[in-house]
Structure formats: structure tokens, C-alpha cells
Amino acid sequence: MDPTEKLAPIRKGLLEFVILKIVAGDKVYVADMLKLLGPTEFATQEGTLYPLLSKLRREELVDYEWQESDAGPPRKYYKLTAKGRTQLSTLNDYWKNLNKTLADLGN
Amino acid sequence: MQKVINISLNGIAYQLEEPGYNLLSAYLERAESRLKDSPDRAEVTADLEQAIGEKCRAVLGPHKTVVSTAEVEKIIEEMGPVESADEKAAGASADSAAGGGSSQTFTPPPPRKRLYQIREGAMWSGVCNGIAAYLNVDVTWIRLAFVLLTIFSSGFWFIVYIVLMFVVPVATTPEDRAAAFGMPFNTEELISRAKKNFEEFGHTYRWRREWRRQQRHWNRQFKHMNEQIRMATAQAGPIAGNTARFFSGVLAPVAALIGAVIFVTWILAMFSLVTQHSIFGWYLPHGMPWWVGIIALVLIYSAISAPLRMMRHAGQQHANSHPAWGALHGLMWIGFTVLLFWAAYTFFPGVRELIDSLMWAANLTVSTISETIV
């Protein structure tokens, strides 16, 4: 077994944080998020991403707006809300602390 | 040639090949049942449909208007399994990851596959066809099992067929057919559905309705058959009429008879090989294990019956594939088979011995099983 698979649950748990980071930039479309994450450790699929985004919207951390597209029906573009921004900075700080703790352990 | 089904994904129409449609509807049904407890169900479903639609559009062009089955498979793989993002599910998955016990809440919902009667390509009512689709095996094996069980139970199994004919619903819509072929089955659902159907069968006089429906089905078949004969006689002059009459009039009974002879011989050869390790007294070449003989028999049987099957298909096409032909052929085939088994049993002592010893073995098995259960 690949030893990094032991951290798979952590990668899964981090996905929400990762998504918040992505939508913190410009407004994004889901297909573009998937393309962005594809080559990374956080590669994921529509089947996971759509339910997660709907949950984040229900928690008022992200919101979306409709934009016309040249090919087909209008698309949902996701962006961070003010509440999402506060949560993202909390998570960012927490993540930095975690990294620091990990780096300091055993030294 | 593939049948195409029109679907609407989030308000836009697409055309899918039928097997692809079956796959996609099974995928969406699974997604919905995964999201059953999620407040975002409607929204996520719409999002998923839109994403699937976009992927479909990507493979279509001005000279390609239908999404193929392989493309649907690829799209479903790209979409990935739908996972509810809710706290409860997340908690359960964390628990099960930590080795906790509450994995109960996280087991995937049972896949939806249902037992139906499938009239397309049915010999009689489609019960065997439906069971074959449900168990994902070739329909010939199911028919064989039914014929053998009927013979060994001295006809009792035929009543089981009649009961199934009334209890099992008929697949009428594409959705039914999708569910009939659907995802892997589980026994629990089969039993609970059978129970439910049986209860309804008991109290609501459903059997009367079913009987009437069955009669209507048979009436239609006979009407078709009569029309066929009338048409054949009306066009007595032209060659086309003669050919059609020749196929349905002469080839049907001949094909049924030859098919039944080969089938009965094959079954008896199998029995004799299993019980006495010889085919009617002819021993296999020295050193050849008997199971190689079984495989050889199966191959020989399929090789011999292949031209018959082709003839039957040709006949069906000639008769413009109306249901009477298949039903007629099936009835004659069953009749000849039973008759031949009876004749073999009556006139050949060797065959009688064989069948008696098999009956004895079957009885022993049944009594052992019932003792184990009780």
C-alpha cells in the first residue's frame, strides 16, 4: 500500500478548505475548479464537488451568480462571501499552526 | 442498429443509445438515493444533470447527434460516485476511518434492480426473459431450468410459472426495462418485493386483473397469427407470400421438432455422462476426465443448434417479427420436448433407469435441504 494513502482522509477533510481558497480569487466555474485540481493531490470529480458546494452555500460561505455562456445554458460561477472570507482566514491560521507544530515536533 | 432514447437534462434534450440510457438512469437514481437526506438534493441533481449535459454536448457535433454507450460510460466515470457532503455522512466516514462502529449509516443504499416480465423476445410471457435479465445469464439456461423442473416435479413447476406470470409486473416503459437490467441485484429486495406482490395478490383480487390482461395478450397473439395466415393465403400468387407461408407453416414445426430432438438427446447424454461417466454406453477415450466430456457436449450442442437458431431468427424476420411466431415455436418446442422425454422414459429402459436415479438424487437433495432448514 502506498504510505501516502494513510493521509487520504486528511486530504478529503481538507477539500473544503481547498475549495474556499480557490473561490477566494476570481469567480470560478466548477469545470475550471476540476481542471485546476486535476493535476494536484486534491484531484476530485463532479460527484463529490457539487454536493460539497451546495453545502457550503447552505452554510453561507460561498455564493454563486449565473453567467451566460456561448455553449449552452447559463452557468453558475461561485465566489466567496464575507462569512466565507472570515472562515477562510481562521482556517488559514489554523493550518499554519498545524504546519508549525509538525515542523517543530521531534526537533 | 441501436434504439435511441430522447432525454432531457436540466431542460435540454439529448439523444442516447438505449444501453447508455440505462446506465445513465441507474447512475442518477443512485445519486438521488445517496442524496436522499440532503436538503440540497434538488439543487445538486440539477447541477449534476447540467454537468452531464455539458459533457454530452462536448462529444456531439453537426454530424453526430447521438451520444454512444461508450461515451456515456466515460461521462459517468468522469463524474465519479456522488457523495453526500453532509455532516452526518462526514461524521460516519470519520468514524469508520477511525475504526468506529457506526459504519451502518454509511453503507451505500441498495442498488435498484427489479424483476420484471420482459415481452421483447419472449417465448411466452417473458418470465424467463425477466429472470435472465435479473440474474444476468443467458435466457436459454433459465428456460432449460424451467423445463427440467417442470418435468422432474411432474408438472408442479408449471404452476410456479403461472403464478410468476401474475405476480411479477410487466416491464412496459423504458424505465422499467432499465430497472429490469439495472445494477447488481440483492436478495433482500427480491424477497421483500415478492412478499409485497404476494400480499397484494392475496387481498386485492389483483389476479383477476392480471388474468384478464394475460388473456388480452394471448388474444392479440392469436389475432396476429390469424392475420398472418390470412395474409399468406391472400397473396398466394406472389413469391413473398409463399415464402412467408413456407417459413411460418412448414419451418416452424420442423425447427421446433429438430430443436427438441437435439435438446432431449443432449440432456440425456449429459445425464448419462454425469451419472455413469459414459455417453449411452460409449466410454470417453482413456484418460480423458468426464468434465472435459461435459464441456465438449456443451460446445457440440451450441454448434448444432446454431443453424437452427439462425433459421428461427430468419423466420421471425420473414414474419415481420410479430409475436405469434415466437409463441408458436415456443409452445411446439415445449410440447415436443415433453413428448420426447416421455417417449424416451417409456421405451428405453436405460433412460428410465437414468431418470429414476436422478429423481432419487433430486429427492434426496430436497429432503436434505428441508431437514437442514427445519
PDB file of all heavy atoms in Angstrom, chain A residues 1 5-7 14 19 25-26 28 32 48-52 54 67 73-74 77 81 96-97 99 107:
ATOM      1  N   MET A   1       0.838  -1.213   0.000  1.00  0.00           N
ATOM      2  CA  MET A   1       0.000   0.000   0.000  1.00  0.00           C
ATOM      3  C   MET A   1       0.868   1.255   0.000  1.00  0.00           C
ATOM      4  O   MET A   1       1.880   1.325   0.689  1.00  0.00           O
ATOM      5  CB  MET A   1      -0.880  -0.043   1.261  1.00  0.00           C
ATOM      6  CG  MET A   1      -1.891   1.073   1.329  1.00  0.00           C
ATOM      7  SD  MET A   1      -2.845   0.940   2.863  1.00  0.00           S
ATOM      8  CE  MET A   1      -2.939   2.646   3.346  1.00  0.00           C
ATOM      9  N   GLU A   5      -1.449   6.959   1.165  1.00  0.00           N
ATOM     10  CA  GLU A   5      -2.880   6.668   1.246  1.00  0.00           C
ATOM     11  C   GLU A   5      -3.385   6.775   2.683  1.00  0.00           C
ATOM     12  O   GLU A   5      -4.570   6.930   2.927  1.00  0.00           O
ATOM     13  CB  GLU A   5      -3.188   5.279   0.679  1.00  0.00           C
ATOM     14  CG  GLU A   5      -3.355   5.256  -0.825  1.00  0.00           C
ATOM     15  CD  GLU A   5      -4.329   6.311  -1.317  1.00  0.00           C
ATOM     16  OE1 GLU A   5      -5.522   6.197  -0.976  1.00  0.00           O
ATOM     17  OE2 GLU A   5      -3.891   7.252  -2.000  1.00  0.00           O
ATOM     18  N   LYS A   6      -2.440   6.656   3.651  1.00  0.00           N
ATOM     19  CA  LYS A   6      -2.843   6.782   5.057  1.00  0.00           C
ATOM     20  C   LYS A   6      -3.392   8.176   5.342  1.00  0.00           C
ATOM     21  O   LYS A   6      -4.146   8.366   6.279  1.00  0.00           O
ATOM     22  CB  LYS A   6      -1.653   6.516   5.973  1.00  0.00           C
ATOM     23  CG  LYS A   6      -1.247   5.065   5.975  1.00  0.00           C
ATOM     24  CD  LYS A   6      -0.126   4.800   6.933  1.00  0.00           C
ATOM     25  CE  LYS A   6       0.256   3.332   6.861  1.00  0.00           C
ATOM     26  NZ  LYS A   6       1.542   3.068   7.510  1.00  0.00           N
ATOM     27  N   LEU A   7      -2.981   9.126   4.552  1.00  0.00           N
ATOM     28  CA  LEU A   7      -3.448  10.501   4.778  1.00  0.00           C
ATOM     29  C   LEU A   7      -4.652  10.850   3.897  1.00  0.00           C
ATOM     30  O   LEU A   7      -5.078  12.002   3.851  1.00  0.00           O
ATOM     31  CB  LEU A   7      -2.305  11.486   4.521  1.00  0.00           C
ATOM     32  CG  LEU A   7      -1.120  11.363   5.487  1.00  0.00           C
ATOM     33  CD1 LEU A   7      -0.105  12.469   5.232  1.00  0.00           C
ATOM     34  CD2 LEU A   7      -1.570  11.425   6.930  1.00  0.00           C
ATOM     35  N   LEU A  14      -9.575  18.157   3.930  1.00  0.00           N
ATOM     36  CA  LEU A  14      -9.027  19.455   3.531  1.00  0.00           C
ATOM     37  C   LEU A  14      -9.721  20.029   2.301  1.00  0.00           C
ATOM     38  O   LEU A  14      -9.559  21.202   1.988  1.00  0.00           O
ATOM     39  CB  LEU A  14      -7.533  19.310   3.221  1.00  0.00           C
ATOM     40  CG  LEU A  14      -6.573  19.352   4.413  1.00  0.00           C
ATOM     41  CD1 LEU A  14      -5.161  19.057   3.938  1.00  0.00           C
ATOM     42  CD2 LEU A  14      -6.617  20.715   5.088  1.00  0.00           C
ATOM     43  N   ILE A  19     -11.321  24.325  -1.505  1.00  0.00           N
ATOM     44  CA  ILE A  19     -12.338  24.973  -2.342  1.00  0.00           C
ATOM     45  C   ILE A  19     -12.498  26.443  -1.933  1.00  0.00           C
ATOM     46  O   ILE A  19     -12.564  27.340  -2.781  1.00  0.00           O
ATOM     47  CB  ILE A  19     -13.694  24.237  -2.221  1.00  0.00           C
ATOM     48  CG1 ILE A  19     -13.580  22.802  -2.735  1.00  0.00           C
ATOM     49  CG2 ILE A  19     -14.790  24.971  -2.981  1.00  0.00           C
ATOM     50  CD1 ILE A  19     -13.179  22.675  -4.174  1.00  0.00           C
ATOM     51  N   GLY A  25     -10.280  33.696  -4.946  1.00  0.00           N
ATOM     52  CA  GLY A  25      -9.754  34.504  -6.047  1.00  0.00           C
ATOM     53  C   GLY A  25     -10.908  35.027  -6.898  1.00  0.00           C
ATOM     54  O   GLY A  25     -11.866  35.589  -6.387  1.00  0.00           O
ATOM     55  N   ASP A  26     -10.825  34.778  -8.194  1.00  0.00           N
ATOM     56  CA  ASP A  26     -11.889  35.249  -9.077  1.00  0.00           C
ATOM     57  C   ASP A  26     -13.066  34.281  -9.017  1.00  0.00           C
ATOM     58  O   ASP A  26     -12.963  33.185  -8.481  1.00  0.00           O
ATOM     59  CB  ASP A  26     -11.336  35.346 -10.511  1.00  0.00           C
ATOM     60  CG  ASP A  26     -12.137  36.338 -11.330  1.00  0.00           C
ATOM     61  OD1 ASP A  26     -13.000  37.029 -10.729  1.00  0.00           O
ATOM     62  OD2 ASP A  26     -11.906  36.403 -12.551  1.00  0.00           O
ATOM     63  N   VAL A  28     -15.384  31.412 -10.076  1.00  0.00           N
ATOM     64  CA  VAL A  28     -14.972  30.210 -10.825  1.00  0.00           C
ATOM     65  C   VAL A  28     -16.154  29.323 -11.165  1.00  0.00           C
ATOM     66  O   VAL A  28     -17.129  29.221 -10.428  1.00  0.00           O
ATOM     67  CB  VAL A  28     -13.956  29.334 -10.049  1.00  0.00           C
ATOM     68  CG1 VAL A  28     -12.599  29.431 -10.661  1.00  0.00           C
ATOM     69  CG2 VAL A  28     -13.960  29.632  -8.583  1.00  0.00           C
ATOM     70  N   ASP A  32     -13.816  24.479 -14.258  1.00  0.00           N
ATOM     71  CA  ASP A  32     -12.483  25.073 -14.125  1.00  0.00           C
ATOM     72  C   ASP A  32     -11.822  24.664 -12.812  1.00  0.00           C
ATOM     73  O   ASP A  32     -10.613  24.446 -12.758  1.00  0.00           O
ATOM     74  CB  ASP A  32     -12.580  26.595 -14.234  1.00  0.00           C
ATOM     75  CG  ASP A  32     -13.113  27.018 -15.597  1.00  0.00           C
ATOM     76  OD1 ASP A  32     -12.827  26.280 -16.569  1.00  0.00           O
ATOM     77  OD2 ASP A  32     -13.816  28.028 -15.679  1.00  0.00           O
ATOM     78  N   THR A  48     -18.448  14.562  -6.251  1.00  0.00           N
ATOM     79  CA  THR A  48     -18.079  15.000  -4.903  1.00  0.00           C
ATOM     80  C   THR A  48     -18.247  16.505  -4.762  1.00  0.00           C
ATOM     81  O   THR A  48     -18.705  17.003  -3.736  1.00  0.00           O
ATOM     82  CB  THR A  48     -16.597  14.644  -4.626  1.00  0.00           C
ATOM     83  OG1 THR A  48     -16.397  13.285  -5.001  1.00  0.00           O
ATOM     84  CG2 THR A  48     -16.245  14.842  -3.178  1.00  0.00           C
ATOM     85  N   LEU A  49     -17.859  17.219  -5.830  1.00  0.00           N
ATOM     86  CA  LEU A  49     -17.755  18.674  -5.731  1.00  0.00           C
ATOM     87  C   LEU A  49     -19.123  19.362  -5.630  1.00  0.00           C
ATOM     88  O   LEU A  49     -19.303  20.262  -4.805  1.00  0.00           O
ATOM     89  CB  LEU A  49     -16.988  19.196  -6.955  1.00  0.00           C
ATOM     90  CG  LEU A  49     -16.294  20.545  -6.768  1.00  0.00           C
ATOM     91  CD1 LEU A  49     -15.525  20.561  -5.460  1.00  0.00           C
ATOM     92  CD2 LEU A  49     -15.357  20.804  -7.928  1.00  0.00           C
ATOM     93  N   TYR A  50     -20.087  18.930  -6.444  1.00  0.00           N
ATOM     94  CA  TYR A  50     -21.389  19.608  -6.417  1.00  0.00           C
ATOM     95  C   TYR A  50     -22.075  19.510  -5.054  1.00  0.00           C
ATOM     96  O   TYR A  50     -22.554  20.529  -4.535  1.00  0.00           O
ATOM     97  CB  TYR A  50     -22.296  19.097  -7.542  1.00  0.00           C
ATOM     98  CG  TYR A  50     -22.033  19.773  -8.862  1.00  0.00           C
ATOM     99  CD1 TYR A  50     -21.550  19.072  -9.943  1.00  0.00           C
ATOM    100  CD2 TYR A  50     -22.268  21.132  -9.011  1.00  0.00           C
ATOM    101  CE1 TYR A  50     -21.304  19.696 -11.157  1.00  0.00           C
ATOM    102  CE2 TYR A  50     -22.034  21.771 -10.213  1.00  0.00           C
ATOM    103  CZ  TYR A  50     -21.553  21.053 -11.290  1.00  0.00           C
ATOM    104  OH  TYR A  50     -21.316  21.674 -12.470  1.00  0.00           O
ATOM    105  N   PRO A  51     -22.133  18.318  -4.458  1.00  0.00           N
ATOM    106  CA  PRO A  51     -22.748  18.264  -3.122  1.00  0.00           C
ATOM    107  C   PRO A  51     -22.011  19.144  -2.113  1.00  0.00           C
ATOM    108  O   PRO A  51     -22.634  19.822  -1.279  1.00  0.00           O
ATOM    109  CB  PRO A  51     -22.637  16.786  -2.737  1.00  0.00           C
ATOM    110  CG  PRO A  51     -22.574  16.059  -4.033  1.00  0.00           C
ATOM    111  CD  PRO A  51     -21.813  16.968  -4.958  1.00  0.00           C
ATOM    112  N   LEU A  52     -20.665  19.175  -2.202  1.00  0.00           N
ATOM    113  CA  LEU A  52     -19.889  19.985  -1.264  1.00  0.00           C
ATOM    114  C   LEU A  52     -20.197  21.474  -1.443  1.00  0.00           C
ATOM    115  O   LEU A  52     -20.416  22.199  -0.463  1.00  0.00           O
ATOM    116  CB  LEU A  52     -18.392  19.706  -1.492  1.00  0.00           C
ATOM    117  CG  LEU A  52     -17.422  20.419  -0.561  1.00  0.00           C
ATOM    118  CD1 LEU A  52     -17.698  20.024   0.886  1.00  0.00           C
ATOM    119  CD2 LEU A  52     -15.989  20.084  -0.918  1.00  0.00           C
ATOM    120  N   SER A  54     -22.887  22.834  -2.678  1.00  0.00           N
ATOM    121  CA  SER A  54     -24.243  23.137  -2.218  1.00  0.00           C
ATOM    122  C   SER A  54     -24.276  23.266  -0.704  1.00  0.00           C
ATOM    123  O   SER A  54     -24.989  24.099  -0.150  1.00  0.00           O
ATOM    124  CB  SER A  54     -25.210  22.040  -2.653  1.00  0.00           C
ATOM    125  OG  SER A  54     -25.363  22.091  -4.035  1.00  0.00           O
ATOM    126  N   GLN A  67     -24.043  33.145 -15.116  1.00  0.00           N
ATOM    127  CA  GLN A  67     -23.431  33.877 -16.229  1.00  0.00           C
ATOM    128  C   GLN A  67     -23.759  33.176 -17.525  1.00  0.00           C
ATOM    129  O   GLN A  67     -23.688  31.948 -17.595  1.00  0.00           O
ATOM    130  CB  GLN A  67     -21.915  33.932 -16.052  1.00  0.00           C
ATOM    131  CG  GLN A  67     -21.487  35.076 -15.143  1.00  0.00           C
ATOM    132  CD  GLN A  67     -20.005  35.324 -15.214  1.00  0.00           C
ATOM    133  OE1 GLN A  67     -19.318  34.782 -16.079  1.00  0.00           O
ATOM    134  NE2 GLN A  67     -19.518  36.133 -14.298  1.00  0.00           N
ATOM    135  N   PRO A  73     -26.626  26.409 -21.779  1.00  0.00           N
ATOM    136  CA  PRO A  73     -27.372  27.202 -20.803  1.00  0.00           C
ATOM    137  C   PRO A  73     -26.445  27.991 -19.877  1.00  0.00           C
ATOM    138  O   PRO A  73     -25.250  27.704 -19.818  1.00  0.00           O
ATOM    139  CB  PRO A  73     -28.149  26.151 -20.012  1.00  0.00           C
ATOM    140  CG  PRO A  73     -27.390  24.877 -20.202  1.00  0.00           C
ATOM    141  CD  PRO A  73     -26.732  24.971 -21.528  1.00  0.00           C
ATOM    142  N   PRO A  74     -26.981  28.986 -19.152  1.00  0.00           N
ATOM    143  CA  PRO A  74     -26.143  29.772 -18.245  1.00  0.00           C
ATOM    144  C   PRO A  74     -25.486  28.897 -17.176  1.00  0.00           C
ATOM    145  O   PRO A  74     -26.008  27.854 -16.811  1.00  0.00           O
ATOM    146  CB  PRO A  74     -27.127  30.762 -17.618  1.00  0.00           C
ATOM    147  CG  PRO A  74     -28.485  30.299 -17.973  1.00  0.00           C
ATOM    148  CD  PRO A  74     -28.370  29.456 -19.181  1.00  0.00           C
ATOM    149  N   TYR A  77     -21.345  30.563 -11.458  1.00  0.00           N
ATOM    150  CA  TYR A  77     -19.966  30.913 -11.089  1.00  0.00           C
ATOM    151  C   TYR A  77     -19.933  31.173  -9.584  1.00  0.00           C
ATOM    152  O   TYR A  77     -20.708  31.972  -9.076  1.00  0.00           O
ATOM    153  CB  TYR A  77     -19.497  32.132 -11.871  1.00  0.00           C
ATOM    154  CG  TYR A  77     -18.993  31.762 -13.248  1.00  0.00           C
ATOM    155  CD1 TYR A  77     -19.879  31.433 -14.261  1.00  0.00           C
ATOM    156  CD2 TYR A  77     -17.616  31.698 -13.517  1.00  0.00           C
ATOM    157  CE1 TYR A  77     -19.427  31.051 -15.509  1.00  0.00           C
ATOM    158  CE2 TYR A  77     -17.157  31.324 -14.764  1.00  0.00           C
ATOM    159  CZ  TYR A  77     -18.063  30.994 -15.757  1.00  0.00           C
ATOM    160  OH  TYR A  77     -17.616  30.608 -16.979  1.00  0.00           O
ATOM    161  N   THR A  81     -18.203  34.473   0.133  1.00  0.00           N
ATOM    162  CA  THR A  81     -18.970  35.518   0.822  1.00  0.00           C
ATOM    163  C   THR A  81     -18.092  36.115   1.929  1.00  0.00           C
ATOM    164  O   THR A  81     -16.992  35.619   2.190  1.00  0.00           O
ATOM    165  CB  THR A  81     -20.224  34.925   1.469  1.00  0.00           C
ATOM    166  OG1 THR A  81     -19.798  33.961   2.432  1.00  0.00           O
ATOM    167  CG2 THR A  81     -21.125  34.256   0.447  1.00  0.00           C
ATOM    168  N   LYS A  96      -1.564  26.989   9.396  1.00  0.00           N
ATOM    169  CA  LYS A  96      -0.173  27.417   9.649  1.00  0.00           C
ATOM    170  C   LYS A  96       0.309  26.864  10.973  1.00  0.00           C
ATOM    171  O   LYS A  96       1.442  26.371  11.092  1.00  0.00           O
ATOM    172  CB  LYS A  96      -0.090  28.943   9.637  1.00  0.00           C
ATOM    173  CG  LYS A  96       0.099  29.486   8.228  1.00  0.00           C
ATOM    174  CD  LYS A  96       0.244  30.992   8.225  1.00  0.00           C
ATOM    175  CE  LYS A  96      -0.022  31.524   6.814  1.00  0.00           C
ATOM    176  NZ  LYS A  96      -0.749  32.793   6.841  1.00  0.00           N
ATOM    177  N   ASN A  97      -0.582  26.925  11.994  1.00  0.00           N
ATOM    178  CA  ASN A  97      -0.208  26.393  13.306  1.00  0.00           C
ATOM    179  C   ASN A  97       0.094  24.909  13.225  1.00  0.00           C
ATOM    180  O   ASN A  97       1.076  24.435  13.805  1.00  0.00           O
ATOM    181  CB  ASN A  97      -1.324  26.625  14.324  1.00  0.00           C
ATOM    182  CG  ASN A  97      -1.351  28.071  14.782  1.00  0.00           C
ATOM    183  OD1 ASN A  97      -0.338  28.780  14.669  1.00  0.00           O
ATOM    184  ND2 ASN A  97      -2.494  28.524  15.265  1.00  0.00           N
ATOM    185  N   ASN A  99       1.098  23.215  10.679  1.00  0.00           N
ATOM    186  CA  ASN A  99       2.373  23.020   9.994  1.00  0.00           C
ATOM    187  C   ASN A  99       3.547  23.288  10.923  1.00  0.00           C
ATOM    188  O   ASN A  99       4.535  22.557  10.930  1.00  0.00           O
ATOM    189  CB  ASN A  99       2.459  23.947   8.781  1.00  0.00           C
ATOM    190  CG  ASN A  99       1.883  23.269   7.552  1.00  0.00           C
ATOM    191  OD1 ASN A  99       2.011  22.058   7.396  1.00  0.00           O
ATOM    192  ND2 ASN A  99       1.228  24.041   6.716  1.00  0.00           N
ATOM    193  N   ASN A 107      12.195  17.941  17.113  1.00  0.00           N
ATOM    194  CA  ASN A 107      13.446  18.709  16.985  1.00  0.00           C
ATOM    195  C   ASN A 107      14.041  19.025  18.349  1.00  0.00           C
ATOM    196  O   ASN A 107      13.333  19.185  19.312  1.00  0.00           O
ATOM    197  CB  ASN A 107      13.179  20.010  16.228  1.00  0.00           C
ATOM    198  CG  ASN A 107      13.040  19.728  14.742  1.00  0.00           C
ATOM    199  OD1 ASN A 107      13.485  18.665  14.275  1.00  0.00           O
ATOM    200  ND2 ASN A 107      12.411  20.635  14.017  1.00  0.00           N
TER     201      ASN A 107
END
